[in-house]
Amino acid sequence: SLKCAGSSDRLKAQALFKSGKFVEAAKLYQSLSNADDEVYTNLCASLLSANECDKALSVLEEHKGSQSETFEFAYNGGCAALA
């Protein structure tokens, strides 16, 4: 099912990130059609870890609505601003 496919892609993106493959993780997060706040937060973290600060700032700006109150979103925003 589509939900299972999305779940396996999320898990794969997380594994890529944990393995230090930040560019690959970011690409996979960007390809997810069922993106939510968690995906955008993880996408931003992947981009920051890949030294793609401008792209991370764009993601932060585009998706700052409901998730702007979360610790992770604030942390990623601070890291992007300092980079």
Side-chain angles (χ1 to χ4, degrees), residues 4-75:
C4 288
S7 296
S8 65
D9 285 343
R10 283 181 184 223
L11 185 58
K12 183 177 179 182
Q14 290 171 350
L16 288 167
F17 182 87
K18 293 288 186 185
S19 299
K21 298 178 180 177
F22 306 120
V23 173
E24 293 92 339
K27 286 180 183 177
L28 191 51
Y29 280 125
Q30 287 172 319
S31 74
L32 293 174
S33 61
N34 59 341
D36 56 17
D37 290 350
E38 180 183 353
V39 168
Y40 293 124
T41 297
N42 291 344
L43 169 58
C44 187
S46 297
L47 290 168
L48 286 168
S49 297
N51 292 319
E52 296 285 347
C53 298
D54 289 339
K55 290 181 183 178
L57 284 170
S58 293
V59 171
L60 288 163
E61 185 61 32
E62 287 177 40
H63 304 285
K64 67 180 178 183
S66 63
Q67 66 179 341
S68 62
E69 300 296 321
T70 67
F71 163 77
E72 293 88 354
F73 192 80
Y75 179 82

